[in-house]
């Protein structure tokens, strides 16, 4: 929440890029954060991110340069900063000297492919906001031979427990009597959406890989590697998310 440019201390600290919001709350409660030289222990204290001087562990917390990175996520890693079950996370693959970057949406542990990270929370919000309708492209290997009917259902929208899916672009890439390879382009990104869509048409995803988000392609980035987006790529991404279709904004089904 914000009021006239002010932010709660936890949010203001996270936005400097010093740490995640949950780490900020813990650090504030532990007395490690000063505002204008005074220790503040309530994360919900209102501060002015422009005028107030924030410090973490005695060092000034200044707004970091906005960065966007892409990672070629392998399967097996979870998309979170810290996993309560101790599983390996995608952060193991980011260079250690980066400012705090948050994942933009999520890929399942068993999904590979293009995952973005940024410290620009407004950009991240625009990318994941369902009303933006930013296209995400997946390649899926699915169980069984999916016929034209099933592909048509996927394209038209299938009914999931959290409502019907939006129309999608669906293309058969190959397969045989036991498996089908598909390319799906969806403009939302609910939890495990592609897997649930395939289950809804009587199949099951055996492997899932994201190749593209809006104008950004994973290209030949090796598995497990990451790179910073260049200016042109960030500009293309910003242009894509600002070309928002004329729809009411909603929080439902935040895209991944
Ligand atoms: N859809 C899924 O089912 N899983 C993902 O990781 C991404 C999209």
């Amino acid at each position: 929440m914000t009021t006239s440019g002010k932010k709660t201390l936890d949010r203001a600290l996270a936005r400097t890029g010093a740490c995640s919001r949950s780490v900020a709350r813990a650090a504030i409660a532990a007395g490690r954060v000063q505002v204008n030289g005074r220790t503040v222990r309530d994360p919900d204290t209102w501060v002015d991110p422009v005028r107030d001087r924030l410090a973490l562990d005695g060092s000034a917390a200044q707004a970091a340069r906005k960065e966007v990175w892409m990672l070629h996520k392998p399967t097996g890693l979870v998309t979170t900063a810290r996993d309560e079950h101790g599983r390996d996370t995608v952060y193991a693959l980011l260079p250690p000297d980066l400012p705090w970057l948050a994942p933009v949406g999520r890929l399942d542990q068993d999904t590979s492919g293009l995952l973005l990270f940024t410290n620009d929370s407004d950009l991240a919000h625009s990318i994941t906001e369902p009303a933006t309708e930013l296209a995400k492209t997946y390649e899926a290997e699915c169980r069984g031979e999916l016929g034209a009917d099933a592909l048509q259902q996927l394209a038209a929208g299938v009914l999931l427990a959290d409502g019907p899916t939006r129309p999608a672009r669906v293309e058969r890439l190959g397969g045989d009597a036991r498996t089908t390879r598909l390319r799906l382009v969806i403009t939302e990104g609910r939890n495990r959406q592609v897997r649930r869509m395939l289950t809804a048409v009587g199949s099951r995803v055996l492997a899932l890989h994201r190749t593209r988000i809006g104008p950004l392609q994973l290209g030949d980035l090796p598995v497990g590697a990451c790179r910073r987006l260049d200016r042109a790529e960030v500009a293309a991404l910003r242009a894509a998310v600002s070309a928002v279709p004329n729809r009411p904004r909603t929080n439902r089904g935040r895209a991944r």
Side-chain angles (χ1 to χ4, degrees):
M1 257 221 318
T2 60
T3 144
S4 60
K6 292 199 168 189
K7 295 190 187 310
T8 54
L9 179 55
D10 60 335
R11 193 178 285 266
L13 187 61
R15 285 191 67 136
T16 66
C19 55
S20 70
R21 197 157 159 218
S22 57
V23 169
R25 290 188 76 84
I28 296 162
R32 294 168 50 205
V33 175
Q34 291 79 41
V35 180
N36 302 324
R38 286 186 45 218
T39 299
V40 175
R41 289 176 183 269
D42 179 1
D44 296 321
T45 304
W46 291 104
V47 295
D48 182 331
V50 177
R51 292 203 174 82
D52 291 326
R53 284 177 294 109
L54 310 187
L56 173 62
D57 294 332
S59 303
Q62 284 158 347
R65 189 173 59 151
K66 302 275 189 248
E67 304 199 14
V68 188
W69 285 65
M70 71 160 66
L71 168 72
H72 186 159
K73 178 192 175 294
T75 57
L77 300 182
V78 290
T79 309
T80 180
R82 217 176 293 138
D83 184 56
E84 55 189 23
H85 306 294
R87 292 171 297 184
D88 292 333
T89 82
V90 288
Y91 281 87
L93 299 174
L94 297 184
D97 52 348
L98 290 184
W100 168 258
L101 301 178
V104 180
R106 215 164 53 78
L107 286 178
D108 298 332
Q109 184 176 11
D110 40 1
T111 302
S112 59
L114 173 53
L115 182 62
L116 294 176
F117 290 82
T118 187
N119 53 357
D120 184 337
S121 51
D122 291 336
L123 178 63
H125 178 80
S126 302
I127 294 169
T128 55
E129 163 64 51
T132 305
E133 297 192 10
L134 192 65
K136 289 120 203 145
T137 304
Y138 294 88
E139 289 182 6
E141 187 176 329
C142 316
R143 192 180 58 193
E145 191 172 14
L146 291 186
D149 272 7
L151 302 200
Q152 217 161 17
Q153 280 179 53
L154 291 168
V158 293
L159 186 58
L160 302 181
D162 50 0
T165 59
R166 285 186 190 148
R169 285 212 308 275
V170 183
E171 189 186 339
R172 189 177 189 280
L173 299 176
D176 51 33
R178 291 182 305 137
T179 60
T180 305
R181 282 193 304 113
L182 295 179
R183 177 177 296 128
L184 289 106
V185 184
I186 61 174
T187 59
E188 49 191 339
R190 305 185 218 160
N191 188 28
R192 297 181 77 82
Q193 178 168 340
V194 174
R195 293 172 198 280
R196 290 191 291 139
M197 287 171 72
L198 268 299
T199 302
V201 296
S203 176
R204 189 162 70 83
V205 167
L206 303 173
L208 186 60
H209 180 72
R210 182 157 67 191
T211 58
R212 193 172 177 132
I213 297 176
L216 302 175
Q217 299 217 52
L218 187 58
D220 54 11
L221 189 67
V223 181
C226 62
R227 70 173 178 84
R228 186 164 182 233
L229 299 195
D230 64 29
R231 274 166 182 259
E233 288 173 316
V234 175
L237 186 58
R238 288 190 193 283
V241 298
S242 61
V244 178
N246 194 15
R247 277 174 181 256
R249 290 178 92 74
T250 163
N251 279 331
R252 209 197 67 169
R254 181 161 299 290
R256 297 161 19 120

